[in-house]
Amino acid sequence: MTTPILIDCDPGHDDAIALLLALASPEVELLGVTTVSGNQTLEKTTANALRVLEFVGRGDVEVAAGAEQPLVRPRFVAEYVHGESGLDGPSLPPPRGGPVARHAVDFLAERILGSDEPVTLLPVGPLTNVALLLARHPAAAERLGRIVLMGGSIAEGNVTPAAEFNVWADPEAAERVFSSGLDVTMIGLDVTHRALVTPTHAARLRDSGRTGTMVAELLDFYSVFHRETYGFDGSPIHDAVAVAHVLRPGLVETAHRHVAVETGSELCRGRTVVDLWRRTGHEPNAHVGVGIDAEAFVELLLERLATLD
Ligand code: RIB
Ligand code: CA
């Protein structure tokens, strides 16, 4: 059975690769893409989503632009990771098309309510649009099958020692999502940092065709931050792990735990406090990624990208 999905993203190198993986996978039907400010400004993340879709001939997939800034916090873009364009590396032409006129939040509601099957929503950027969906269209939110988000972490942070970027960028939005009562899966740094795409993998991508070459060029740029910051010999394709989890259940091992989001402290702003050992007595509210078959993920990713051209 094909699962209808919607991807809310902030392209962003790993968002772009997540979009390509979804487009290359028969297990899912991409009903649309929404964009949010995060890795770059909304204008740039929206243009990047359009550029990636057009690059593989999928300009038919509609894109709707969403929030220009977080619910409460000032906007902060991760130019130090993704570059001035948000997709530095390959020379992708500017988009020919544009986003639909509807706001992302209304677009998401329309697609969710219009689907015969429950939709899986994959937020892979800050959760501003998703929190707004919960507030503005609660009936649509209730019709969601599940939310599989890339964000948070049990242990380490990346934007601060305490927090992962997507949750840190809009912690109030994240708190709303985790306390929504919906079926939420959290694909965090604990698993994404364990599944790196290495230069050897990139060489295979270059040999796999036009799209593989473009992805290798994305990785040429994206790997610099990870080598300089972590000493990694490769790049974590965070957002693609969330897509892979939908494609192949079991590839990521999860544990049903309570997750709270720190919004009061500046030091620990955006920390996802995962009750891994069930010490609080709080009811679990998320399926948290605790393990990953890294080799299976990378092989699935490379195999699927090779089918695009
Ligand atoms: O922390 C990693 C996440 O932040 C990824 O989604 C990346 O694209 C950025 O949005
Ligand atoms: Ca992202």
Side-chain angles (χ1 to χ4, degrees):
M1 183 194 80
T2 301
T3 302
I5 67 170
L6 287 161
I7 296 180
D8 183 71
C9 56
D10 60 335
H13 291 67
D14 56 324
D15 306 71
I17 298 169
L19 287 173
L20 294 171
L21 176 59
L23 291 170
S25 298
E27 298 89 338
V28 295
E29 179 192 4
L30 183 57
L31 300 181
V33 174
T34 51
T35 55
V36 65
S37 162
N39 285 324
Q40 257 299 349
T41 63
L42 177 69
E43 181 185 2
K44 292 180 179 179
T45 60
T46 303
N48 290 338
L50 291 161
R51 292 161 79 191
V52 170
L53 292 169
E54 290 175 8
F55 183 86
V56 289
R58 294 303 310 273
D60 60 293
V61 176
E62 290 191 321
V63 174
E68 297 206 33
Q69 60 190 39
L71 296 180
V72 176
R73 310 285 174 157
R75 185 178 71 188
F76 175 93
V77 298
E79 187 157 326
Y80 60 98
V81 180
H82 299 274
E84 188 278 331
S85 72
L87 216 49
D88 282 17
S91 55
L92 292 177
R96 291 187 302 278
V100 299
R102 295 185 298 297
H103 188 279
V105 174
D106 300 327
F107 178 86
L108 289 171
E110 173 203 283
R111 290 293 150 100
I112 293 164
L113 293 170
S115 175
D116 294 336
E117 296 298 324
V119 170
T120 293
L121 176 58
L122 282 137
V124 293
L127 291 157
T128 316
N129 289 339
V130 184
L132 292 170
L133 174 73
L134 298 175
R136 182 176 168 89
H137 296 289
E142 280 304 315
R143 285 275 302 274
L144 275 171
R146 60 176 177 158
I147 294 173
V148 178
L149 65 91
M150 191 281 140
S153 68
I154 301 167
E156 63 185 285
N158 57 1
V159 65
T160 72
E164 178 279 326
F165 177 79
N166 286 340
V167 176
W168 176 89
D170 196 339
E172 286 76 17
E175 195 282 329
R176 281 294 298 117
V177 174
F178 281 105
S179 59
S180 67
L182 295 176
D183 180 344
V184 174
T185 295
M186 175 183 127
I187 303 293
L189 299 178
D190 317 277
V191 293
T192 66
H193 272 188
R194 283 158 52 184
L196 305 183
V197 174
T198 67
T200 303
H201 297 137
R204 285 174 54 190
L205 280 166
R206 264 182 248 278
D207 292 341
S208 70
R210 174 176 166 272
T211 300
T213 299
M214 188 271 278
V215 171
E217 291 168 353
L218 286 173
L219 295 174
D220 289 344
F221 180 87
Y222 183 55
S223 61
V224 171
F225 167 77
H226 294 94
R227 186 166 51 251
E228 290 177 353
T229 305
Y230 304 103
F232 284 171
D233 178 30
S235 302
I237 320 299
H238 305 283
D239 299 338
V241 176
V243 172
H245 180 62
V246 175
L247 300 178
R248 190 163 297 168
L251 190 141
V252 173
E253 179 193 354
T254 62
H256 200 203
R257 296 293 186 272
H258 184 269
V259 180
V261 179
E262 176 58 65
T263 57
S265 153
E266 261 321 292
L267 177 64
C268 294
R269 162 189 164 176
R271 177 145 195 78
T272 44
V273 181
V274 179
D275 186 6
L276 190 60
W277 306 119
R278 291 176 283 209
R279 311 304 302 151
T280 66
H282 292 320
E283 279 300 304
N285 60 355
H287 303 279
V288 178
V290 293
I292 185 168
D293 182 339
E295 185 179 353
F297 164 70
V298 174
E299 288 307 315
L300 174 67
L301 179 62
L302 268 59
E303 167 203 310
R304 294 293 166 87
L305 291 176
T307 67
L308 293 170
D309 211 18

